[in-house]
Every structure is written in structure tokens, then in C-alpha cells.
Amino acid sequence: MRAADERAVNGKRELTEGLAAQILGHIRDGGLAVGTHLTAQGLAERFNVSRFPVGQALQLLAAKGVLVHERNRGYFVSSAKDASPETLGLAPREEASHVYFRIAEDHLHGRLPDPVSEAYLKDAYGATKAQLNAVLSRIAREGWAERRPGYGWSFSPMLTTPESLEQTYRVRLALEPAALLEPGYRLDPEIAARCREAELRLLAGAIETDTADALHERGVRFHEAIIGASGNPFFLEAVRRINRVRRLLSYRSMIDRKRYRRQCEEHLEILDLLERGRNPDAAQALRRHLEHTIENLQEIRPILER
């Protein structure tokens, strides 16, 4: 096989394995039950990719026993759902992960040209073509860069200061409690159970062991789940847009994890109130939760300003 062909194959394999690891994280952190049906369309929308790479990742997870494929029905979560990316050989390659966070930091500090060519990124970060393809695919899925027609990549506007991050929380403070008071509010019991399982898993020790992006995604899933239950799509779309632009500063804030136990306990309190139909009390608890987060931002400001 020619070197160029081999690099292309390696790049596709890393993309498939990386997406498979994300789907596995979605299964585990979301507490998806055995037998849960996973659709390519739903996963493509969640991870902002086309259905083709999702299909490749689902095939890979089925080959590794995490999913069961039923002809003409699709893919379903198997009893091996608690396997880790490491045991399945899906752990992100350390070099690619290192390149990802270096690009993220340089973007936060305004050190990257925009647009930027792949050749520039490859030379600046000492990455192989396969590693860079995997990193750029991840960044594109997360929504903070996109390929430009005919030339390189362009970065989306992202939050770069503690002040801008605090502003997003103030918008959320205005929106999210109100969403819990919508007249058509209904939190699906299965979704609530998945959210609770994810919080209990963190309290059992995963706060210290999960990656920064796994912690971020768990928080995103919780808030989007309880806001999505409002039945009002405008609340959910607003929160999703905010979550996309705050991602990088959220990663940095996770250097200090001491506050996560309290956050998990507050999430569980909100769930308990919603499941008991006490939505006004849940809205007040959510307001206090977001206010605590804003207070915490002041304590970790030196981390955010690095």
C-alpha cells in the first residue's frame, strides 16, 4: 500500500474509532438500558456528522459486542454496554488528544490565523496527517470550526473571557428555570433515570477519573434533558447554542473539580422535584444551582484567564 493510501486509511480508522468512543460514552454516561435502540440519524444529529461515519462506528461497536445488530431493525444496546473505551481499544490516541487541546488553547488566546490551512496546522503542532484529520473531525463535530470551500479551516466565534462565560450563565439563569414552568412540561421517566444514573456514577468516583470533555458532556446532557422536557423547542435551541460556544472555557474550568460533588447533588435534587411534579420548586432549585455556578466562576477566574 502506498504511503498516502495508508495515511488515508489510518485517518478514516481514527475517525471511526473516535466516533465509536463518543457513542460508547453516550451509552454509558446516559445510562442507556440494555435493548435501547440507537438510530444512525439520531446519533448523527447529536454528534453533528453525517450518517455514514455513524454507520461505520455502529458496525465497529457491534463487532466489539457493545451493540447487537438485528437485520432490518438496527442496532441495540447489549449487556456489554459498560465496557470502557480502553478495554475495547477505542481510547483516544494520546498524541491526537494533545494536539486537540493545544489547538483549543491557541484558539482561546487568539494565536491562530483565521482561516488556517491544514499544512500550517500540521507543521505548527507536529501532527501526522491521520492525527490532524481525527482532531479536525472532532472539532467540526463540536461546532467550533468548519472547512472552508477551497481553502483550509475557519474557526467559529467562541467564548474567550471569563466575563463572556458568566454572561452565558446569566442568560441561562433567565431561560432554564422558566422552561420548567411550561404548561406542557413532561420529563420522561426513562430519561430521568438515565440522568440520575449519570450523576450517581460521578459521585461514586468518576468526578476524578472522567475526562474534561466527558464531564462537560454529562452537564450538557442533564440540562438539555430537563429543558427539552418543556415541550417548547425554542428554550432547547437557545440552550444548545449557548452550550456550543462555551465548550472550550468549560474544558479549562474543569482543572478544578472540587465543586462537582455539589453540582451532582443539586442535579439530583432538581430531578427529585421534577419527578414529584413540583416544578415551581424545581425551577427555584435550578435557579440556585446556576447562581452557585456563577459564584464558582469567580473562584476559578485565574484558571479561566490563563
Side-chain angles (χ1 to χ4, degrees), residues 126-173:
T128 66
K129 180 66 173 177
Q131 289 168 354
L132 186 61
N133 283 344
V135 168
L136 290 174
S137 295
R138 174 180 174 180
I139 290 172
R141 287 197 300 273
E142 293 175 350
W144 53 279
E146 62 182 2
R147 188 186 296 276
R148 289 173 58 92
Y151 178 80
W153 290 74
S154 182
F155 291 94
S156 305
M158 303 292 290
L159 303 185
T160 59
T161 66
E163 291 81 7
S164 59
L165 183 59
E166 182 174 330
Q167 286 173 344
T168 69
Y169 277 99
R170 295 197 180 282
V171 173
R172 292 176 61 193
L173 191 59

Side-chain angles (χ1 to χ4, degrees), residues 108-295:
L108 281 172
H109 287 286
R111 293 192 288 253
L112 288 175
D114 190 20
V116 62
S117 69
E118 291 187 14
Y120 174 92
L121 293 172
K122 185 172 178 291
D123 291 342
Y125 298 101
T128 66
K129 180 66 173 177
Q131 289 168 354
L132 186 61
N133 283 344
V135 168
L136 290 174
S137 295
R138 174 180 174 180
I139 290 172
R141 287 197 300 273
E142 293 175 350
W144 53 279
E146 62 182 2
R147 188 186 296 276
R148 289 173 58 92
Y151 178 80
W153 290 74
S154 182
F155 291 94
S156 305
M158 303 292 290
L159 303 185
T160 59
T161 66
E163 291 81 7
S164 59
L165 183 59
E166 182 174 330
Q167 286 173 344
T168 69
Y169 277 99
R170 295 197 180 282
V171 173
R172 292 176 61 193
L173 191 59
L175 289 175
E176 293 192 22
L180 304 192
L181 302 177
E182 282 291 283
Y185 192 93
R186 181 185 177 277
L187 180 60
D188 185 278
E190 185 175 339
I191 292 176
R194 292 173 191 168
C195 289
R196 175 173 286 101
E197 185 174 337
E199 300 301 323
L200 293 174
R201 175 180 170 274
L202 289 180
L203 288 173
I207 288 174
E208 301 301 328
T209 59
D210 272 5
T211 61
D213 48 345
L215 281 176
H216 174 81
E217 289 301 327
R218 152 262 174 194
V220 165
R221 280 194 294 271
F222 174 83
H223 284 271
E224 292 186 359
I226 64 172
I227 300 311
S230 70
N232 186 331
F234 298 103
F235 279 115
L236 182 58
E237 178 57 27
V239 171
R240 282 177 169 168
R241 292 186 65 180
I242 290 171
N243 284 335
R244 283 195 292 268
V245 299
R246 72 183 179 91
R247 176 182 294 272
L248 299 186
L249 277 180
S250 292
Y251 284 168
R252 185 184 290 175
S253 74
M254 288 167 191
I255 295 173
D256 179 2
R257 302 191 178 200
K258 295 190 297 293
R259 68 192 189 282
Y260 279 95
R261 177 164 292 276
R262 179 179 181 179
Q263 287 191 5
C264 290
E265 292 169 349
E266 291 175 347
H267 282 183
L268 290 171
E269 178 191 6
I270 294 165
L271 280 176
D272 288 341
L273 292 168
L274 289 173
E275 289 183 299
R276 291 155 62 188
R278 295 173 54 184
N279 285 51
D281 292 333
Q284 286 301 317
L286 179 54
R287 173 173 292 278
R288 291 193 299 271
H289 170 65
L290 292 170
E291 288 173 341
H292 291 159
T293 303
I294 293 172
E295 293 169 4

